[in-house]
Amino acid sequence: MKLRHIAIAAIISAAACGATAQNIATPKVKADFKERQEKVANPAYFTVFDRNLTPQQREALEFLYAYMPLPDIADYSGDFFLTNVDATLRARKEMPWGKNIPDREWRHFVLPLRINNEALDNHRPEFYAELKDRVKGLSMKDAILEVNHWCHEKATYEPSDSRTHSPLATVSSAIGRCGEESTFTVGALRAVGIPARQIYTPRWAHTDDNHAWVEAWADGQWYFLGACEPEPVLNLGWFNAPASRGMMMNTYAFGAYDGPEEVLATPDGYTNINVTTNYAPVDTITVNVTDRQGRPAAGTEVSFRLYNYGEFYPIATKTTDQHGRASLSAGIGDVVVWATDGKNFGMTKGSVGRDRNVAVTLDLTPSYTGVKEMDIIPPVASNKPVEVTPAQAAENDRRKVYEDSLRGAYTATFFTRERGEDLGRRLGLDPARVAAVMIDARGNHKTIEQFLSGVPEADRERALTLVESLSVKDRSDVPAVILADHLTAPVYDTPLYAEYILSPRIDNEALTPFRSYFSATVGKDEAARMRANPAELVAQTARDITILPDWYPGNIRMSPEAVDRSKATNAASRDIYFVAKARSLGIPARIDPVTGKTQWADAKGNWTDASFGGDSSASAKPASQGTLKLAFTKTGRIDDPKYYTQFTLSKIADGRPQLLGFPEDATWSSILRDGQKLDEGQYMLVSGQRMADGGVLSRAQFFDIRPESTVSDTLVMRQDNKGVQVIGNFNSENTYTDLASGAEKSVLSTTGRGYYVIGLLTPNHEPTNHALRDIAAVAPEFEKWGRGMILLFKDRQDAGRFDSSLLPELPSTVSYGIDTDGKIAAEIIGNLKLSTTERPVFIIADTFNRIVFVSQGYTIGLGDQIVDTIHHLGE
């Protein structure tokens, strides 16, 4: 692909900073590499070492092959890794800082190509070619800032699914969620030889969602930055305040890392390290676990969990020592501690910073039913302001406007709705459907256009159906070879055809052209037998595929083709393999999005679980099920609680909760009011009400579902009974510049008498983006309320950068304006004594000049919080 043209942390000793030995493969690395070769026992994976390699090439490859995920070894060639090794060695030699980077930091945070669960690509030599002259002559710190400006030229934030674009795909699409932006930025920094790592908070404590950003190493110290969000200085980002309230921030170091940070875990090939102390006050909490007889429970799994998106989400997992103890360094706030021996479990609340020791008893059995309520308090903000001069801020803003224009010039080449509809008419296809997929394609539009145009006219409808079966993100990076491969699927007369036979999308794996592979390797007679009796394919999979759980960090998956060749993989890749092979043979198959179970369907569309225990009869036996039916009484304004927002349901398996993945738009009435069929077993219903300060009133209720029986109960939403209070004042006669008319208007003249909302925004800014999306999600509530909402930018430059096309439609009551001379922002911040000028800021006030609600910075669920407050106002 041709690219578009256009201190916090540990100090490394001075001696380490001057290291020039450049020992890539230490004795431990060499030993681990040898052990890896012996355990994998497949010489074909290591043929690159038969090449005539230089000592540095060999040692770099030994380090990568000693620790890389097994899917990477199986799915990418040795030549692929050698190309990237050569680019990395070149950067180390040619960049002025190359000789000064300690071996440890270079080995773990420059050399590795993989950053997240992205498909690997050859971005490194391409990025180096474009960036090397741009950072020439700069200090390391200035080079980091410059690389981030370059990244901002290429991509801006937009939320999406959890599959991570490769760096080149992020450049092509010009957008990415935080995990993709940080993967892209880490890749760009490593391409010019700067150590970089992706920092991740698994979940925020004070609001729903998570976040990822970047740390980069310069002159002996780690600094942080917001990926594709350039600031004038390092250690500055919109997330400074949220991070100061964080309870866990971590990163994965490739290989056996021996740095100064606390080690959380050592999954095969990686070291999970705790960097929370870089951002927030921390303390250590120790959990003492005992069994039902009061004896120390050694070897027990202890997970530390936060209430987030309606569930208790694990942010760190430890194992108790011989005394039944496990400790964690975390932010100062409440966690839910969950301990299990794989059968029985126990749970309690622990307050980091107050409770130095927490006792948990494994007294809850697999048949336990009951209720546990907890009031959960998150950390308070404690970030320190970072000094930026007005001149620095102005220059940074000027550059961002220019960078937006470069990116905008590129995205202007993408398909519009009109252009897409015109293509549809020319191809004899539904114009609206073609326009939708072509808009989703973004920088991949030529691939999709050529595919649809190039197939025979009789096959175009099916070709469009194939593209529609992909995820939105798939359309923006799927290569032509994959589309061509899957269009070879024969047509079968079943309503499940498009989604469960034709489509290559199974889970969150990288798409591959597996259909032609299985068509070539499975004989026609064998395929016919398996179509007639899918249980035979289940039994064959169980018999032929060995489960090898080693070297599978995160959600990286081995391709179906590689699984078939190696006959060894992990369970998740085995399940994808089964579905891919079944679809290739004409058998509808899926991984159930709710339960995660692997299934195939018969001719009548009935789904059967695929059991890989080796007994073919087990695959045809339906799971024993009961029913959970819950009533709900309107609570406050909540008349139909939302899944992931106000409640979730998890199955307790082996003492651990496993979330059921109902659709994002699921509600109580759609899944539980009339009864939900569930496999027999123990379930936990979690509900919670998030307070304006980030605290949560949580409730966990446990059910035992028995076969052919119904459990009837009630979904309870705990409520805060405190009334709305006046928290400050704001003059409703203040004026602003109305963007629509250009006239100076007062707040009062815009909103009329009564309550109203004012929002202070930053354009193309992740917290602002989330806030506006949350408001759009409850637009009918604001329409019903009917009062005005004024959204203000700080100046015309910011207003000009705002791209509303990246957002859903806001309520019709919204007006846009400019805060003339910053008077409104100054008054709100001053009167409410807000500690920072961070945006966005939203207030609810009235024309008696009273403020009754404020939200500042990164908040998920803002729309619901505002509507809840409005409800309590009786408006």
Side-chain angles (χ1 to χ4, degrees):
M1 177 189 301
K2 184 177 181 181
L3 294 179
R4 307 195 305 275
H5 292 294
I6 336 244
I8 284 178
I11 302 295
I12 310 299
S13 68
C17 288
T20 57
Q22 299 190 350
N23 295 317
I24 300 173
T26 64
K28 175 170 176 52
V29 170
K30 288 182 174 295
D32 289 347
F33 171 66
K34 183 178 179 181
E35 181 183 2
R36 188 73 178 278
Q37 279 186 304
E38 294 171 350
K39 283 189 174 181
V40 173
N42 189 336
Y45 289 158
F46 300 92
T47 56
V48 67
F49 292 94
D50 298 332
R51 302 273 297 273
N52 184 22
L53 304 172
T54 67
Q56 281 197 322
Q57 286 175 322
R58 184 172 297 277
E59 289 196 358
L61 288 168
E62 285 177 349
F63 176 73
L64 294 178
Y65 274 77
Y67 304 112
M68 74 170 67
L70 191 57
D72 289 354
I73 294 180
D75 281 314
Y76 299 89
S77 70
D79 285 342
F80 170 81
F81 290 110
L82 181 58
T83 296
N84 286 282
V85 162
D86 287 343
T88 310
L89 291 171
R90 179 186 176 189
R92 191 178 201 187
K93 179 181 178 182
E94 295 180 354
M95 289 291 101
W97 43 77
K99 63 181 183 299
N100 297 321
I101 296 172
D103 294 333
R104 181 181 67 196
E105 278 61 40
W106 188 85
R107 184 186 306 121
H108 294 283
F109 302 113
V110 178
L111 178 58
L113 190 64
R114 176 168 295 287
I115 300 159
N116 198 302
N117 69 337
E118 75 278 13
L120 301 184
D121 63 24
N122 271 317
H123 71 271
R124 190 161 290 192
E126 296 196 36
F127 286 7
Y128 182 75
E130 189 160 335
L131 283 167
K132 63 182 176 123
D133 292 334
R134 190 155 168 167
V135 299
K136 185 183 296 182
L138 298 179
S139 68
M140 283 193 79
K141 285 201 238 179
D142 286 341
I144 294 166
L145 294 171
E146 187 62 31
V147 168
N148 205 24
H149 275 289
W150 178 83
C151 291
H152 181 240
E153 292 175 13
K154 307 299 183 186
T156 192
Y157 175 80
E158 185 167 304
S160 62
D161 64 42
S162 61
R163 181 175 71 84
T164 304
H165 264 322
S166 73
L168 287 176
T170 297
V171 172
S172 171
S173 64
I175 54 172
R177 71 177 202 286
C178 60
E180 287 162 328
E181 289 183 309
S182 51
T183 296
F184 168 46
T185 305
V186 168
L189 288 163
R190 290 182 181 180
V192 292
I194 296 175
R197 57 196 189 187
Q198 183 183 56
I199 305 300
Y200 187 61
T201 181
R203 289 290 191 272
W204 295 116
H206 68 286
T207 189
D208 290 336
D209 212 357
N210 53 19
H211 190 52
W213 59 93
V214 174
E215 280 186 355
W217 186 97
D219 307 320
Q221 187 168 345
W222 287 100
Y223 298 88
F224 71 79
L225 58 150
C228 304
E229 298 167 336
E231 297 287 356
V233 296
L234 296 172
N235 289 344
L236 178 62
W238 64 259
F239 52 88
N240 282 51
S244 75
R245 304 185 72 181
M247 294 201 66
M248 174 55 59
M249 284 150 279
N250 65 311
T251 187
Y252 285 85
F254 189 96
Y257 175 68
D258 60 351
E261 300 91 347
E262 176 194 6
V263 174
L264 293 169
T266 53
D268 284 324
Y270 285 82
T271 306
N272 185 0
I273 56 178
N274 185 352
V275 297
T276 310
T277 187
N278 293 358
Y279 302 91
V282 301
D283 201 357
T284 298
I285 186 170
T286 298
V287 178
N288 297 276
V289 184
T290 56
D291 63 19
R292 301 181 74 185
Q293 287 73 43
R295 298 170 302 199
T300 296
E301 179 183 284
V302 177
S303 61
F304 300 84
R305 296 169 178 257
L306 298 179
Y307 178 92
N308 197 288
Y309 278 134
E311 66 167 322
F312 298 134
Y313 187 88
I315 59 170
T317 302
K318 295 289 190 81
T319 302
T320 57
D321 61 18
Q322 60 181 338
H323 305 293
R325 290 194 295 259
S327 298
L328 179 71
S329 175
I332 310 298
D334 291 350
V335 292
V336 175
V337 181
W338 185 291
T340 181
D341 60 7
K343 180 180 179 183
N344 298 321
F345 61 97
M347 64 180 295
T348 191
K349 185 181 81 170
S351 296
V352 182
R354 187 179 66 198
D355 300 333
R356 303 308 299 270
N357 290 277
V358 174
V360 180
T361 303
L362 303 177
D363 58 351
L364 306 182
T365 67
S367 60
Y368 168 75
T369 59
V371 174
K372 292 185 176 293
E373 293 184 345
M374 290 175 280
D375 295 356
I376 301 171
I377 301 173
V380 297
S382 59
N383 65 304
K384 297 179 181 179
V386 179
E387 184 176 348
V388 177
T389 68
Q392 287 175 315
E395 172 60 14
N396 194 66
D397 287 344
R398 183 197 67 78
R399 291 195 65 179
K400 287 197 292 186
V401 171
Y402 175 65
E403 290 153 11
D404 285 341
S405 72
L406 294 179
R407 187 180 347 97
Y410 169 64
T411 58
T413 66
F414 294 176
F415 262 66
T416 60
R417 184 164 304 281
E418 293 74 20
R419 186 177 165 192
E421 290 175 348
D422 181 62
L423 175 64
R425 284 188 286 269
R426 285 191 285 111
L427 296 178
L429 297 169
D430 184 330
R433 292 168 60 198
V434 173
V437 299
M438 294 308 299
I439 290 170
D440 290 343
R442 298 187 65 82
N444 198 39
H445 58 85
K446 289 183 179 178
T447 297
I448 305 297
E449 181 182 16
Q450 290 171 1
F451 171 67
L452 294 177
S453 302
V455 300
E457 185 175 349
D459 242 351
R460 282 180 184 163
E461 176 66 30
R462 195 163 65 97
L464 177 58
T465 299
L466 169 60
V467 176
E468 289 175 322
S469 78
L470 305 177
S471 71
V472 170
K473 183 176 291 181
D474 290 338
R475 294 167 199 157
S476 70
D477 69 352
V478 62
V481 65
I482 289 177
L483 294 172
D485 174 83
H486 290 282
L487 195 62
T488 63
V491 177
Y492 295 94
D493 185 16
T494 168
L496 301 178
Y497 175 74
E499 188 173 3
Y500 301 116
I501 294 180
L502 177 64
S503 178
R505 170 54 60 209
I506 298 170
D507 192 29
N508 264 339
E509 78 288 1
L511 297 182
T512 59
F514 59 74
R515 200 173 301 270
S516 57
Y517 172 82
F518 287 118
S519 297
T521 56
V522 180
K524 291 184 179 180
D525 292 343
E526 182 182 11
R529 286 200 318 273
M530 290 181 174
R531 274 196 301 275
N533 180 23
E536 185 176 334
L537 176 58
V538 177
Q540 183 190 77
T541 302
R543 182 176 62 250
D544 291 353
I545 306 302
T546 300
I547 298 304
L548 182 69
D550 296 336
W551 302 303
Y552 283 87
N555 55 351
I556 301 170
R557 303 291 180 250
M558 185 183 290
S559 71
E561 307 97 297
V563 172
D564 193 67
R565 293 190 186 99
S566 66
K567 305 300 183 187
T569 192
N570 70 341
S573 298
R574 183 268 321 275
D575 294 348
I576 292 172
Y577 161 83
F578 169 82
V579 173
K581 191 169 183 178
R583 291 183 185 180
S584 300
L585 303 181
I587 303 168
R590 69 180 184 182
I591 294 176
D592 181 27
V594 175
T595 64
K597 296 191 297 184
T598 305
Q599 299 176 320
W600 55 270
D602 61 21
K604 296 181 179 180
N606 299 313
W607 291 100
T608 299
D609 297 344
S611 169
F612 299 111
D615 178 5
S616 61
S617 63
S619 67
K621 182 181 179 181
S624 298
Q625 292 187 319
T627 302
L628 177 63
K629 185 176 183 179
L630 298 182
F632 177 75
T633 301
K634 183 178 180 180
T635 306
R637 76 170 185 89
I638 303 172
D639 56 6
D640 193 6
K642 301 173 184 176
Y643 201 74
Y644 301 116
T645 300
Q646 285 137 347
F647 77 99
T648 58
L649 187 64
S650 297
K651 190 176 193 297
I652 309 298
D654 300 323
R656 305 174 190 87
Q658 296 180 353
L659 182 70
L660 299 186
F662 289 106
E664 290 189 8
D665 60 353
T667 64
W668 156 76
S669 65
S670 68
I671 58 177
L672 292 172
R673 180 180 62 188
D674 300 323
Q676 177 69 40
K677 289 285 187 181
L678 299 170
D679 290 355
E680 65 175 312
Q682 185 180 36
Y683 289 82
M684 176 176 67
L685 176 76
V686 175
S687 63
Q689 180 70 7
R690 178 82 69 177
M691 302 291 100
D693 65 359
V696 177
L697 305 178
S698 75
R699 187 177 193 269
Q701 186 169 2
F702 295 83
F703 305 97
D704 186 18
I705 303 298
R706 299 295 179 89
E708 306 302 324
S709 64
T710 298
V711 173
S712 297
D713 213 305
T714 302
L715 168 58
V716 176
M717 295 293 305
R718 298 178 62 203
Q719 289 288 299
D720 179 9
N721 295 320
K722 297 177 184 176
V724 175
Q725 299 178 348
V726 176
I727 59 175
N729 59 79
F730 174 76
N731 183 4
S732 60
E733 297 285 357
N734 277 322
T735 61
Y736 70 97
T737 302
D738 179 62
L739 273 183
S741 65
E744 284 289 310
K745 300 178 66 174
S746 70
V747 171
L748 175 60
S749 67
T750 301
T751 65
R753 292 290 178 182
Y755 286 100
Y756 57 86
V757 175
I758 287 182
L760 307 177
L761 311 183
T762 297
N764 308 334
H765 173 241
E766 184 169 343
T768 295
N769 185 307
H770 277 295
L772 296 181
R773 285 178 176 273
D774 286 344
I775 289 170
V778 289
E781 297 277 2
F782 287 105
E783 300 284 3
K784 180 180 178 181
W785 187 45
R787 299 299 174 85
M789 181 184 301
I790 305 174
L791 303 180
L792 299 175
F793 301 100
K794 70 177 182 178
D795 52 35
R796 289 195 177 277
Q797 181 172 275
D798 268 13
R801 291 181 57 219
F802 180 63
D803 186 358
S804 61
S805 69
L806 296 176
L807 297 167
E809 187 172 351
L810 292 170
S812 63
T813 54
V814 166
S815 302
Y816 291 100
I818 296 169
D819 181 12
T820 311
D821 299 325
K823 293 177 182 178
I824 289 177
E827 183 171 325
I828 291 172
I829 291 167
N831 289 353
L832 290 173
K833 296 181 172 59
L834 301 181
S835 61
T836 72
T837 59
E838 176 191 7
R839 296 187 180 211
V841 177
F842 283 84
I843 65 167
I844 301 176
D846 68 5
T847 46
F848 292 103
N849 298 337
R850 302 174 298 183
I851 299 176
V852 296
F853 172 90
V854 63
S855 172
Q856 182 177 30
Y858 184 75
T859 302
I860 298 297
L862 175 69
D864 282 316
Q865 288 186 15
I866 294 175
V867 171
D868 281 337
T869 304
I870 291 168
H871 174 83
H872 288 298
L873 293 172
E875 288 281 319

